[in-house]
Each structure stands twice: as C-alpha cells, then as structure tokens.
C-alpha cells in the first residue's frame, strides 16, 4: 500500500468482497492530518490512525474526546508548521538581502580551476577535461564526469570557486554582524 487513499479504496473493495472484516491502519504525524481529509475517512470507515510521534491511536470517529483531541493537535501542529515556514522565509530573505550566498557550495576549488585552464591550454576539449576532472558521488561511489557546461563556465570565469564562495559568505556575514552588534553602516548602504 503506497498511499492512504489507495488503502481506503482497497479496504472498500475488500469489504464489498468479504464483508467488513478488514481494518485500515495508518501511521502518520498530526500535521498531515490537518492538511488532508483522509484521516476522517479512515476513522469513519472503522480504521485506526497511529500517530508515531505520540504513540497514540485514534480509532473511534464518534468518540468526542478523540475527535476533539485529534482536531486540536492537528490544528496546533499545522499552525506551528506554518509559523516555522514563515520564519524560515523571512530569515532566507534577510540573508539574501545582505548578500549572503545561499545554496550549495561550488565543488571546484581554485586548484581545480587552475588545472582545468592548464588542460585547456594543452589542447583538450570540454568533454575530455570533464573526464579528467571526474568526481566520485558520495552516496554510491559512482564516478561521474564533469559536464561540458561546467567546464565552459570554469574557463570563461563564470564559475565561482569554493574558496571564493566561502570568502564572499564570510565577508557578508561579518558585515551583518557588524551592523547588528555595532550598529555600523556599510559603504553600500551609504550610497
């Protein structure tokens, strides 16, 4: 069974064939209950919902205490999730506004970029350089060639090295810290 909706449909098909002998049992977290209506379908049909984080089972749709508790907990958890999402969005916006680089660090170092330039000076093409500069994936140890597009960007100067990225990040964070702690303005803000 891959989704809850499929489980409910499977139960309905089994009930038609064998009578009401089967029970759907779903494991979930409460925030998911609030965002979807499948929980009520399961308990109304006689199924059970097991909330993993609390080790609590909801199995009776007509019991007021369970319905109220499930609704209230799902609502508060959903509200918390929304607040965390807003806070994260605000924080990322603040970092972007202060020119802190976001996203994954570049893989190629200054030494790698110098090696790419040296190989290109020797007459190797983009694909050949990509083969020489292959990388090993961490998750499965597979060797993957660098793309010709990455090699082109490295040769044209568009590719930022890992050291340049870290330097830019450090400088932006230091400017932010100076503004926050000392109340200083940067030269960019004065203009």
């Amino acid at each position: 069974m891959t989704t809850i909706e499929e489980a409910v449909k499977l139960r309905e098909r089994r009930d038609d064939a064998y009578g009401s002998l089967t029970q759907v049992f779903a494991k979930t977290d409460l925030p998911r209950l609030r965002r979807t209506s499948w929980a009520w379908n399961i308990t109304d049909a006689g199924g059970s919902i097991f909330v993993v984080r609390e080790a609590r089972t909801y199995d009776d749709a007509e019991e007021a205490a369970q319905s109220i508790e499930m609704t209230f907990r799902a609502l508060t958890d959903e509200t918390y999730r929304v607040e965390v999402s807003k806070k994260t969005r605000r924080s990322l916006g603040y970092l972007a506004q202060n020119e802190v680089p976001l996203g994954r660090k570049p893989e190629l170092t200054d030494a790698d970029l110098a090696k790419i330039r040296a190989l290109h000076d020797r007459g190797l093409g983009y694909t050949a350089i990509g083969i020489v500069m292959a990388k090993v994936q961490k998750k499965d140890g597979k060797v993957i060639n660098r793309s010709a597009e990455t090699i082109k960007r490295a040769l044209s100067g568009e590719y930022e090295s890992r050291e340049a990225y870290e330097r830019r990040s450090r400088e932006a964070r230091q400017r932010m810290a100076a503004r926050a702690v000392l109340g200083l303005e940067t030269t960019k803000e004065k203009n």
Side-chain angles (χ1 to χ4, degrees), residues 4-86:
I4 299 301
E5 289 81 12
E6 289 175 359
V8 171
K9 288 177 185 172
L10 176 64
R11 181 184 190 285
E12 289 170 356
R13 277 189 262 133
R14 285 185 184 164
D15 285 350
D16 291 343
Y18 303 110
S20 189
L21 300 174
T22 60
Q23 183 179 27
V24 173
F25 191 79
K27 289 184 176 183
T28 186
D29 272 337
L30 280 172
R32 289 192 62 205
L33 298 180
R34 184 69 183 122
R35 291 195 297 262
T36 59
S37 63
W38 58 261
W40 309 114
N41 295 338
I42 289 174
T43 55
D44 286 343
S48 300
I49 298 171
F50 181 72
V51 178
V52 178
R53 187 174 22 165
E54 299 172 7
R56 174 106 166 89
T57 302
Y58 297 95
D59 55 5
D60 189 356
E62 294 177 10
E63 185 182 330
Q66 280 191 13
S67 291
I68 291 168
E69 183 180 352
M70 186 164 61
T71 302
F72 180 71
R73 287 178 181 266
L75 181 60
T76 55
D77 283 357
E78 175 69 7
T79 303
Y80 176 74
R81 185 194 67 80
V82 168
E83 289 302 316
V84 167
S85 176
K86 287 179 184 177

Side-chain angles (χ1 to χ4, degrees), residues 111-161:
D112 293 334
L113 295 177
K115 186 175 179 182
I116 288 172
R117 280 188 222 95
L119 291 170
H120 187 67
D121 290 344
R122 286 190 199 169
L124 270 68
Y126 300 135
T127 305
I129 295 172
I131 293 170
V132 172
M133 298 298 297
K135 63 180 177 179
V136 178
Q137 282 187 333
K138 290 180 183 176
K139 66 178 181 181
D140 57 7
K142 236 186 214 180
V143 176
I144 297 178
N145 299 336
R146 301 267 178 200
S147 71
E149 185 61 36
T150 301
I151 302 302
K152 284 180 192 176
R153 286 180 44 228
L155 289 170
S156 69
E158 293 175 29
Y159 192 95
E160 181 180 35
S161 70

